[in-house]
Amino acid sequence: MSVTDTPLISLRAASFGYADRRVVDGVSLSQGRGEVIALLGPNGSGKTTLVKGLLGLSDHLGGEVLLFGTPLARFRDRPRIGYVPQRHSLSASVRATVREVVEVGRLTRRPWWRPAGTADATAVDEALDAVGLRDREREDVSALSGGQQRRVLIARALAARPDLLVMDEPTAGVDAANQRILADVLSALAARGTSMLIVTHELAALHEVVTRIVCMDGGHVDYDGTPRDYLATHRGHEVGDGHHHHDAPDGPGARTPGMAAIAGDPLPPREV
Ligand code: ADP
């Protein structure tokens, strides 16, 4: 990344919350183009509130927030940020094909009165290809598995051709085989230069994708660095050190099978 590149997001002592409740408290963070950040931290540490803040879905309570160089309050180009929310299962009562759901992602990219055109169809095709569901596009979404539905929703976000893809727990509740597929989908996106901010508990599933780790605790950032350094400093918490297996089951030092697996895995070097 060249120094003249404007960060996709830039927070300086930023706080977010709900009405007068400050949940994210004075966070400084910036993300450059092509970076894939895993946002880790225990439950309740403010990860979701932070990403919602970028989308105007939680309240901005202080500090500076720039999106593509523009202050949050003046930012008018929301489609540049694609969002795949947490617990985003599609309702079983939805009567729509896979393609129709992905087409919804184009609605933010054209005036309401203009019918979908070839540019929209191309973007939808590419989004379906990116998640490996082009051959299922005519199927009813309700016929797909939970893991496949996640991919449909990622495709819906990609269809808008966002500059930054924000995902909240994309692999949660997905079985191992489908986690592998999701990780491959995200790796392919990363290889194409897609910038991503991924809230996750399952770093092991995504470690090949991630270029940077940001760890939150109690509304603050308590780690921001490379996956390699993260493992070096947190490794003792996962393997062979009984003292640290304790009270934060979801925490950065949590002894999850995922972290044990990643601690034993060499990380591939990755340039940003
Ligand atoms: P994480 O994503 O790290 O688990 P969250 O950002 O979801 O953390 O939650 C952080 C805190 O914000 C929690 O204490 C939660 O209860 C609170 N919170 C989340 N959503 C709301 C809301 N809509 N209104 C008030 N408080 C909320």
Side-chain angles (χ1 to χ4, degrees):
M1 191 181 76
S2 92
V3 289
T4 55
D5 270 353
T6 307
L8 306 178
I9 61 177
S10 170
L11 313 185
R12 214 158 40 176
S15 298
F16 298 103
Y18 305 92
D20 55 355
R21 171 143 188 239
R22 191 174 285 243
V23 171
V24 173
D25 189 14
V27 162
S28 296
L29 173 71
S30 82
Q31 178 166 11
R33 192 166 290 281
E35 279 194 297
V36 180
I37 297 180
L39 188 56
L40 308 180
N43 275 336
S45 58
K47 307 180 296 295
T48 296
T49 302
L50 190 156
V51 299
K52 281 187 171 175
L54 303 175
L55 296 144
L57 301 174
S58 69
D59 297 323
H60 178 200
L61 300 179
E64 183 183 76
V65 180
L66 303 178
L67 303 176
F68 310 99
T70 301
L72 179 64
R74 295 213 314 268
F75 185 69
R76 293 285 175 270
D77 206 359
R78 298 267 163 227
R80 291 187 74 179
I81 303 180
Y83 182 46
V84 182
Q86 200 178 6
R87 281 190 279 281
H88 46 294
S89 57
L90 289 160
S91 162
S93 62
V94 169
R95 305 291 309 176
T97 65
V98 169
R99 188 175 183 91
E100 284 166 345
V101 171
V102 176
E103 281 171 343
V104 170
R106 292 301 300 169
L107 295 178
T108 56
R109 284 301 200 189
R110 62 173 189 267
W112 62 268
W113 43 265
R114 183 181 295 160
T118 50
D120 298 295
T122 303
V124 170
D125 288 346
E126 284 179 12
L128 285 163
D129 282 335
V131 300
L133 288 174
R134 183 82 174 271
D135 57 341
R136 314 282 304 260
E137 66 176 5
R138 301 281 163 228
E139 287 180 41
D140 205 301
V141 277
S142 58
L144 270 55
S145 72
Q148 290 165 339
Q149 291 190 356
R150 300 275 168 120
R151 281 148 64 199
V152 172
L153 291 162
I154 292 169
R156 186 180 66 179
L158 288 172
R161 294 227 169 95
D163 291 299
L164 172 65
L165 184 57
V166 176
M167 285 172 280
D168 200 344
E169 299 281 6
T171 59
V174 174
D175 65 47
N178 276 296
Q179 276 196 6
R180 187 67 245 163
I181 293 170
L182 264 171
D184 288 345
V185 164
L186 300 185
S187 290
L189 288 172
R192 280 166 35 188
T194 309
S195 309
M196 292 181 262
L197 178 59
I198 310 172
V199 175
T200 186
H201 283 112
E202 278 132 348
L203 184 58
L206 299 176
H207 79 272
E208 286 167 26
V209 186
V210 166
T211 60
R212 186 167 143 207
I213 287 177
V214 173
C215 217
M216 290 188 70
D217 200 2
H220 303 276
V221 166
D222 75 352
Y223 177 88
D224 183 350
T226 64
R228 192 174 293 276
D229 289 346
Y230 177 82
L231 286 180
T233 50
H234 291 75
R235 198 175 176 125
H237 298 240
E238 326 321 325
V239 279
D241 185 349
H243 297 299
H244 293 92
H245 302 158
H246 59 73
D247 43 54
D250 296 306
R255 187 171 167 268
T256 63
M259 283 312 299
I262 187 176
D265 249 359
L267 280 169
R270 204 162 175 293
E271 300 297 318
V272 177

